[in-house]
């Protein structure tokens, strides 16, 4: 079984939480249409961060797979 290491798990969690925040902010924008001045800047911010976190996760995961650090050896019964 090939389980991600600490860095890739951290980046994957960050990616998932940012995606959740992006979808939540898009839902708030669609349903409530807030008129606060800061909202126009804040709601698309998670969508802008997603590609960066996805790239970070992909690089860390590829690095782990290439080095074999994430490889788990199971003993024979």
């Amino acid at each position: 079984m090939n389980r991600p290491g600490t860095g890739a798990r951290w980046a994957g969690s960050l990616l998932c939480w940012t995606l959740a925040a992006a979808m939540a902010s898009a839902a708030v924008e669609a349903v409530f249409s807030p008129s606060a001045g800061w909202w126009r800047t804040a709601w698309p911010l998670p969508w802008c961060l997603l590609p960066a976190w996805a790239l970070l996760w992909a690089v860390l995961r590829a690095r782990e797979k290439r080095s074999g650090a994430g490889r788990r050896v199971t003993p024979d019964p």
Side-chain angles (χ1 to χ4, degrees), residues 11-76:
S13 294
L14 187 59
L15 177 63
C16 289
W17 281 106
T18 304
L19 181 58
M23 289 190 290
S25 67
V28 168
E29 174 66 24
V31 174
F32 298 112
S33 247
S35 60
W38 57 269
W39 182 252
R40 292 185 152 267
T41 304
W43 87 264
L45 186 62
W47 291 109
C48 296
L49 291 173
L50 274 175
W53 299 149
L55 182 62
L56 174 66
W57 176 82
V59 167
L60 288 173
R61 190 67 177 133
R63 187 173 157 204
E64 283 178 356
K65 284 189 172 199
R66 185 180 60 219
S67 71
R71 190 167 298 150
R72 177 195 256 177
V73 177
T74 56
D76 290 334

